[in-house]
Amino acid sequence: MEERFLPIGIQDFEDLRRRGFLYVDKTDLVYKLAHEGKPYFLSRPRRFGKSLLLSTMEYYFLGKKELFKGLAIETLEKDWIEYPVLKISFGADNYPDLDCLKSQENLILSKYEKEYGIEVSDPRAAPRLNNIITTLYEKTGKQVVILIDEYDKPILDALYTEYEEKNRQELRAFYSPLKDCDKYIRFLFITGITKVSHVNIFSGLNQLNDISLDRAYSSICGISESELKKYFKPEIASLAEEQEITVAEAKEKLARMYDGYHFSYNVEGLYNPFCLLKCFSAKSFGSYWFESGTPSFLVKTLQNQPLELENFVNGRIATENQFKNYDPDSKNMLPVIYQSGYLTIKDFEKETRFFTLDFPNEEIREGFLDVLLKKFVTVPYDEIGLEINNLKIALRNDNVDKALSIIKSAIADLPTIVKKDMCENYYESVTHLMFRMTGYRVLSELQSVAGRSDVVVATNKSVFIFELKMDKGKATTGDEEKNAEELKKILDDALAQIDANGYSARFAVSGKTMHKIGVVFSSDGKGMLGWKSLARCE
């Protein structure tokens, strides 16, 4: 087989093309963007090719026609005009405070001031950027192309610190010339992981065209199924050979592991390009996205906002506004989870305009639940995998007592990041989470923190119907006899509710052993108080 080079970590388009790396052609979309509009915004998860996309745009606007030989844009573009290009990236540093941000702004601006011989008359960043844009226009006679990568990183790095708002205000000032310099700008493209509310950052840029959910550009980053078949046949065959499986089986597992991203509705699914290329390089199905790091701002958000697992692990239905815009002042975690790439669009109802969000694939589901579990249970870090495996074995063997004993131990103590008034939601969420980690099918109706949370777990031979109840302080008084009576009453009520609501009837024709289990948790943060189960063969 001819030697082929996979562009893992290659973010410079010229370097990629001159060294002969594989390139999935997105230049038809670059051409479309360049000729149909001017100011754009694109939000995509990390490791999805945003930086390479901006680099492709950079060399296109620099008129480097020779780099695009054999690509779609070679025949689409007739003029190949060279424009002055300003490329601004905040990906090269960390920004825990305002001084770091100002230092990076100075480095970016100084580079262009030196390159074009521009005198600095005002030391502030915004006037300097304004001066660079207008001077480039005057010197070249051409409008300026501005490409901004990881615009939101200085905010995310300082999330939940005293510098978050300071960095936000500094960026708002830094970007302010983009509005007033509109007539000098040929093309503006801004990328990041999150879409921070325009009122907070891009003040006045109301005309900014957000294409993050635009069907026409849904595949501008990532690798589609059709692109996988077109560009990577040799890699798929080599992977199948190494894994001792058929090509069809390799494709099926690739789809389960890395496919499933949808950034609009009724569009072709996308593979995470980084994970796909790493898989082809290693010839092994690994969890490459999580091996490359978990976004620190996601962990910060999980630690600083109430744990509402139902928002992102159970096929969440949401309106576009609920997950499109991230507001650091809001307690809505959904935009963070979606824009980070942990949830994606799985369905869309046109009449109601409701979106269904869920995990894109197995790699993300398992990795994200693992992150959650390590943050929110008190089991030692190196024992979590063992306990989940024991839980899986207990369910497989129909051992309800063993399964619930494992969960009881895991939630015996409230983690320090969980406040007392969050314990109801915490117990329900972690119970659901641990069942999900077993890999068995889990259905759930997680409601408000004060409401019920019915969980159904299905194995090959059994169905477990759990009714989770809070004791509301009735079973944790100083009177042991009274506690036992109250606990028995709550457990009996839970089992009665399973029957009254007909939960078991849904699975009556399955032929599986049916387990009905009532579980009671302490509303005062004292863990699992007890359970009662009934089993019968259907």
Side-chain angles (χ1 to χ4, degrees):
M1 184 178 74
E2 179 186 351
E3 189 173 13
R4 291 156 61 89
F5 303 100
L6 300 173
I8 300 172
I10 305 296
Q11 299 181 348
D12 184 84
F13 181 73
E14 181 176 37
D15 184 37
L16 181 149
R17 295 292 285 170
R18 295 199 187 283
R19 294 171 59 189
F21 285 95
L22 285 175
Y23 175 69
V24 177
D25 191 357
K26 305 285 187 179
T27 59
D28 58 328
L29 295 176
V30 172
Y31 179 86
K32 180 179 172 67
L33 286 168
H35 288 266
E36 293 186 0
K38 176 161 67 174
Y40 295 99
F41 172 83
L42 176 69
S43 167
R44 285 293 184 269
R46 66 189 181 91
R47 300 291 191 177
F48 239 86
K50 299 186 297 296
S51 297
L52 179 59
L53 174 64
L54 258 66
S55 180
T56 306
M57 293 176 174
E58 176 186 11
Y59 289 107
Y60 164 65
F61 281 110
L62 288 174
K64 297 287 186 75
K65 182 179 180 179
E66 70 278 7
L67 297 178
F68 295 87
K69 184 175 178 59
L71 302 180
I73 205 169
E74 181 187 22
T75 55
L76 292 171
E77 183 58 70
K78 307 301 180 184
D79 300 324
W80 291 98
I81 300 171
E82 180 182 354
Y83 293 93
V85 176
L86 291 181
K87 191 175 181 184
I88 299 171
S89 174
F90 287 100
D93 202 352
N94 295 315
Y95 310 94
D97 55 47
L98 188 58
D99 288 340
C100 292
L101 174 55
K102 288 186 174 182
S103 175
Q104 181 64 13
E105 289 174 342
N106 181 61
L107 286 174
I108 293 168
L109 298 172
S110 296
K111 171 190 171 185
Y112 290 108
E113 288 162 346
K114 182 178 180 180
E115 181 178 345
Y116 291 98
I118 299 173
E119 184 177 340
V120 180
S121 56
D122 190 325
R124 292 175 299 160
R128 290 170 67 187
L129 178 58
N130 186 93
N131 191 32
I132 290 171
I133 294 171
T134 55
T135 301
L136 285 182
Y137 176 78
E138 292 167 358
K139 284 192 172 187
T140 64
K142 296 174 184 174
Q143 290 176 301
V144 180
V145 171
I146 303 176
L147 308 172
I148 302 176
D149 196 13
E150 298 196 52
Y151 88 96
D152 52 348
K153 193 172 188 298
I155 299 172
L156 301 180
D157 283 353
L159 209 59
Y160 300 109
T161 72
E162 61 178 301
Y163 292 102
E164 177 187 349
E165 180 61 25
K166 293 178 181 178
N167 284 5
R168 198 186 326 172
Q169 291 298 330
E170 176 64 23
L171 285 176
R172 184 177 181 180
F174 180 75
Y175 294 130
S176 61
L178 299 179
K179 177 188 176 183
D180 294 335
C181 290
D182 180 67
K183 67 179 180 179
Y184 304 116
I185 298 174
R186 163 65 180 85
F187 185 81
L188 170 65
F189 201 90
I190 302 168
T191 74
I193 294 177
T194 62
K195 183 189 177 186
V196 180
S197 301
H198 285 179
V199 67
N200 289 323
I201 300 296
F202 300 109
S203 179
L205 272 179
N206 295 325
Q207 79 280 21
L208 194 64
N209 183 8
D210 182 3
I211 61 171
S212 302
L213 294 175
D214 192 324
R215 293 178 65 194
Y217 299 105
S218 65
S219 64
I220 196 167
C221 292
I223 297 173
S224 68
E225 183 67 32
S226 56
E227 289 168 336
L228 179 71
K229 294 176 182 177
K230 178 180 179 180
Y231 291 97
F232 297 100
K233 284 184 179 179
E235 284 72 27
I236 297 172
S238 182
L239 173 66
E241 182 180 0
E242 178 69 22
Q243 293 294 314
E244 299 180 341
I245 57 179
T246 66
V247 168
E249 288 171 335
K251 288 180 179 178
E252 183 182 338
K253 188 161 186 179
L254 283 170
R256 288 202 314 268
M257 288 292 293
Y258 311 120
D259 191 13
Y261 288 94
H262 298 84
F263 298 108
S264 189
Y265 58 92
N266 296 334
V267 294
E268 193 174 10
L270 294 169
Y271 290 80
N272 181 302
F274 175 78
C275 299
L276 195 62
L277 295 177
K278 285 285 288 183
C279 176
F280 287 148
S281 177
K283 298 180 183 179
S284 176
F285 297 98
S287 298
Y288 300 110
W289 202 55
F290 282 89
E291 287 176 6
S292 67
T294 301
S296 58
F297 83 92
L298 172 65
V299 175
K300 290 178 185 176
T301 300
L302 291 173
Q303 291 176 337
N304 283 274
Q305 298 291 1
L307 175 64
E308 296 182 356
L309 194 61
E310 66 271 30
N311 279 352
F312 42 86
V313 302
N314 202 38
R316 170 66 189 260
I317 295 176
T319 64
E320 183 176 321
N321 288 335
Q322 287 178 304
F323 67 90
K324 184 177 181 180
N325 297 317
Y326 169 59
D327 183 353
D329 297 326
S330 170
K331 291 185 177 181
N332 179 19
M333 289 175 57
L334 200 56
V336 177
I337 307 300
Y338 168 77
Q339 293 169 11
S340 300
Y342 296 100
L343 292 181
T344 194
I345 296 169
K346 288 296 185 180
D347 197 10
F348 176 71
E349 173 58 52
K350 282 189 176 181
E351 186 176 344
T352 60
R353 296 199 63 79
F354 285 158
F355 292 82
T356 298
L357 307 180
D358 209 339
F359 295 117
N361 51 53
E362 285 185 9
E363 182 195 25
I364 300 304
R365 179 183 65 84
E366 293 175 5
F368 183 62
L369 295 181
D370 186 57
V371 169
L372 278 178
L373 201 58
K374 289 172 181 175
K375 290 293 175 186
F376 294 105
V377 302
T378 54
V379 177
Y381 184 90
D382 56 351
E383 296 179 12
I384 291 177
L386 179 62
E387 288 299 275
I388 293 299
N389 189 55
N390 289 337
L391 178 59
K392 183 174 183 177
I393 293 171
L395 292 172
R396 188 176 66 204
N397 294 335
D398 288 348
N399 192 337
V400 173
D401 289 341
K402 177 65 174 178
L404 289 176
S405 293
I406 292 170
I407 296 176
K408 180 177 181 178
S409 296
I411 59 176
D413 299 309
L414 283 178
T416 55
I417 59 175
V418 177
K419 299 180 177 64
K420 268 287 185 73
D421 60 0
M422 293 164 53
C423 65
E424 293 186 29
N425 182 254
Y426 166 76
Y427 291 138
E428 294 173 356
S429 297
V430 173
T431 299
H432 174 93
L433 175 58
M434 292 187 72
F435 284 134
R436 284 288 294 256
M437 286 293 290
T438 65
Y440 287 130
R441 186 183 177 208
V442 179
L443 304 175
S444 181
E445 294 179 4
L446 291 171
Q447 295 186 346
S448 68
V449 295
R452 61 178 171 80
S453 176
D454 312 308
V455 180
V456 178
V457 183
T459 67
N460 292 335
K461 64 179 183 178
S462 302
V463 175
F464 302 84
I465 303 174
F466 294 88
E467 180 67 24
L468 310 184
K469 293 287 189 180
M470 307 304 298
D471 81 320
K472 306 297 182 184
K474 296 178 180 179
T476 51
T477 66
D479 187 330
E480 291 188 10
E481 184 176 344
K482 183 179 179 182
N483 290 346
E485 292 177 359
E486 287 293 339
L487 180 59
K488 181 180 182 302
K489 182 177 183 300
I490 299 171
L491 288 171
D492 289 341
D493 288 345
L495 292 174
Q497 186 170 330
I498 293 176
D499 290 330
N501 289 335
Y503 298 148
S504 57
R506 305 177 194 178
F507 304 93
V509 296
S510 67
K512 297 181 177 182
T513 300
M514 189 79 60
H515 297 267
K516 295 181 286 187
I517 308 108
V519 182
V520 178
F521 297 100
S522 164
S523 296
D524 298 324
K526 297 177 183 178
M528 187 185 295
L529 299 179
W531 61 85
K532 183 176 181 180
S533 65
L534 297 173
R536 74 172 187 269
C537 294
E538 296 296 330

